[in-house]
Amino acid sequence: MKHTLETINSRTQWFREARFGMFIHWGLYSIPGKGEWIRSHQKLSIEDYEPYFRAFDPKEYNPREWAKQAKAAGMKYMVLTAKHHDGFCLFDSKFTDYKATNTPAGRDLVKEFVDAVRAEGLKVGLYFSLIDWYHPDFPKYADLNHPMRGNEAYRDEKINFDRYLEYLHNQVKEIVTGYGQIDILWFDYSYEDMVGEKWGASKLIDMVRHYQPNVIVDNRLETSGEGFGSIVTDEITSYAGDFVSPEQIVPHEGIRNFKGEPVPWELCLTMNNNWAYNPTDYLYKSSQTLIRKLVECVSKNGNMILNVGPDALGRINDPSKKILDDFHQWMSRNGEAIYGCSGDENLPKPDWGYYTRNGNTVYAHVFEQPIGPLALLGISKENVKRMSFLHDGSEVKISESWTTNAYKGICFAQFGEVPHFTYLLPDLIDSVIKIELRE
């Protein structure tokens, strides 16, 4: 089947309705607690990194608890780093000894994860690195990222990259054949000349689609968070993926193809400034910021996958749990304004927040405290059937205040009994007005 925007939209229908997921970065790097790129950043050799392999014993690992926390926060899918750039596998690969079953953990942690996620009724996602700093046939000396880059001991090293590709493809096959239905396969990432067919991408994706015809794949067989790939062009490759994956930034107008048509996309975002566990990084974004970014993504036809980095024992730390709890409080009351929603090109972006829409219902996400009536630009008051606050169903009236008489043709929302009085918003993070339209 030709890979087109039509097939992409069909495959991603559940994904675009779900809108919100959890990313989990977890592995050996959780022990030193300095990020999943520690080997690259500190140019650590395999021998330098070996103590973490011998020490990996996450006695508190309970993926069912992770899944329960994700579900309570309103997330609909979860993606775990089955293998990151360091090459360590959380799954029981038969093609390497560098895996969780050979650590004190002694078991297949991916299997436990997928079973737990399914048990909570969530969609299963696995992250798989195209890069492998452990494999002897991966480029080193002249590579952009390898821990041994620029190391003279590797200047004249001879490698067999075809042997590495065989290893890569074999491990991906294990992922797509060994764990039942996989809903998301999150590859990471392409750079410089390490892109597309350098990975044997056509053959790889054909194999993936053979075993998992419904799996959703990101765009990083072609690119990284720095680019979009051919998914936005008129020549979409078979391995272009099903969604674009901007990282740590919300696209200012969402993401569209060369025709201006919306393309599925997903913001991947950290709670603090690290993907993996870092006990010294206390710069957590506020729950208000993160919830509002989710709203912004949906208003621009995108998803958001929010990351947690469990510690070396397998626990999600308290600051992360607090953020998840805050999402629970907001999503349990306002999730209707997220799930199945998108933006509306016919509605201008309001000064006070964002609109999302599902069918004949528009949701006004009010971030900024108004004074008096609130201007609902783009909404015709003749077309409004009913307005209410989403969190409790209480009525929101169309204002007939004398203060608005000069602004003909604009629909104003009135919160309280006295039209020109200022009333405090019920939720300072995001108060959602549900606007039911006649057509």
Side-chain angles (χ1 to χ4, degrees), residues 18-188:
R19 289 304 186 202
F20 188 32
M22 175 184 280
F23 220 159
I24 303 169
H25 279 67
W26 187 58
L28 300 185
Y29 42 77
S30 303
I31 299 175
K34 296 179 181 178
E36 71 286 353
W37 278 70
I38 183 174
R39 271 205 67 198
S40 178
H41 291 164
Q42 297 190 8
K43 295 189 173 182
L44 301 179
S45 67
I46 288 174
E47 292 72 26
D48 294 332
Y49 203 60
E50 180 68 15
Y52 307 130
F53 178 78
R54 296 197 301 267
F56 189 67
D57 190 15
K59 294 183 181 297
E60 301 296 326
Y61 176 57
N62 185 348
R64 190 69 184 268
E65 282 302 308
W66 293 359
K68 287 180 182 294
Q69 290 170 28
K71 184 175 182 178
M75 294 156 164
K76 298 295 187 180
Y77 56 94
M78 300 174 71
V79 178
L80 172 69
T81 50
K83 186 179 91 166
H84 210 280
H85 306 334
D86 61 2
F88 175 71
C89 300
L90 293 176
F91 62 102
D92 187 19
S93 173
K94 68 180 180 181
F95 297 102
T96 184
D97 293 329
Y98 202 51
K99 55 188 178 180
T101 48
N102 288 338
T103 68
R107 61 196 197 277
D108 187 327
L109 302 174
V110 166
K111 183 180 187 307
E112 294 180 25
F113 172 80
V114 298
D115 289 347
V117 174
R118 290 192 188 109
E120 290 301 318
L122 304 179
K123 298 286 189 178
V124 173
L126 294 174
Y127 166 111
F128 189 90
S129 173
L130 301 167
I131 301 164
D132 193 319
W133 298 328
Y134 187 82
H135 197 280
D137 288 308
F138 196 87
K140 303 174 187 64
Y141 181 80
D143 186 71
L144 179 66
N145 305 303
H146 199 284
M148 297 298 102
R149 63 191 179 278
N151 187 318
E152 291 300 317
Y154 295 91
R155 177 189 284 273
D156 299 318
E157 181 189 37
K158 304 299 181 185
I159 64 169
N160 184 341
F161 194 69
D162 287 339
R163 188 162 53 200
Y164 173 69
L165 287 184
E166 182 181 8
Y167 174 74
L168 167 67
H169 286 223
N170 282 336
Q171 285 200 320
V172 173
K173 185 175 180 180
E174 288 182 311
I175 289 290
V176 298
T177 61
Y179 298 95
Q181 180 175 323
I182 303 300
D183 300 298
I184 301 174
L185 185 56
W186 223 101
F187 287 118
D188 197 25

Side-chain angles (χ1 to χ4, degrees), residues 166-240:
E166 182 181 8
Y167 174 74
L168 167 67
H169 286 223
N170 282 336
Q171 285 200 320
V172 173
K173 185 175 180 180
E174 288 182 311
I175 289 290
V176 298
T177 61
Y179 298 95
Q181 180 175 323
I182 303 300
D183 300 298
I184 301 174
L185 185 56
W186 223 101
F187 287 118
D188 197 25
Y189 71 97
S190 297
Y191 59 101
E192 295 188 323
D193 68 333
M194 308 287 278
V195 58
E197 294 298 4
K198 181 76 173 184
W199 307 117
S202 294
K203 181 180 177 182
L204 181 64
I205 206 68
D206 284 349
M207 180 267 291
V208 168
R209 297 284 185 213
H210 174 74
Y211 292 107
Q212 298 279 350
N214 297 316
V215 71
I216 294 171
V217 181
D218 69 330
N219 65 330
R220 295 197 180 189
L221 279 167
E222 283 191 332
T223 183
S224 68
E226 297 180 39
F228 300 159
S230 68
I231 192 174
V232 299
T233 74
D234 60 347
E235 295 183 3
I236 303 176
T237 66
S238 64
Y239 49 85

Side-chain angles (χ1 to χ4, degrees), residues 373 375 381 398-412 414 419-420:
K381 64 180 180 181
I398 293 177
S399 179
E400 302 294 344
S401 172
W402 60 268
T403 62
T404 66
N405 286 340
Y407 308 98
K408 303 299 182 185
I410 298 177
C411 181
F412 287 85
Q414 177 180 320
H420 58 279

Side-chain angles (χ1 to χ4, degrees), residues 241-343:
D242 300 301
F243 64 92
V244 178
S245 55
E247 186 168 335
Q248 307 283 47
I249 188 171
V250 181
H252 64 286
E253 293 180 333
I255 296 177
R256 299 176 181 275
N257 67 9
F258 72 107
K259 291 182 179 179
E261 298 166 321
V263 172
W265 62 274
E266 174 191 68
L267 167 68
C268 51
L269 182 65
T270 54
M271 289 184 175
N272 54 7
N273 286 316
N274 281 266
W275 293 100
Y277 180 66
N278 186 325
T280 63
D281 181 0
Y282 303 111
L283 294 175
Y284 285 83
K285 302 169 186 71
S286 70
S287 297
Q288 173 176 280
T289 294
L290 294 170
I291 290 170
R292 290 181 174 186
K293 288 304 164 187
L294 172 60
V295 171
E296 183 179 352
C297 288
V298 175
S299 77
K300 296 176 179 178
N301 303 309
N303 286 31
M304 186 174 90
I305 185 167
L306 184 62
N307 184 74
V308 296
D311 64 23
L313 297 178
R315 298 174 301 197
I316 296 175
N317 68 4
D318 288 342
S320 299
K321 286 196 288 188
K322 175 62 167 64
I323 289 170
L324 294 175
D325 287 344
D326 290 343
F327 265 97
H328 167 72
Q329 293 298 321
W330 190 85
M331 291 289 285
S332 63
R333 297 180 176 92
N334 299 289
E336 180 185 322
I338 299 296
Y339 306 128
C341 291
S342 59

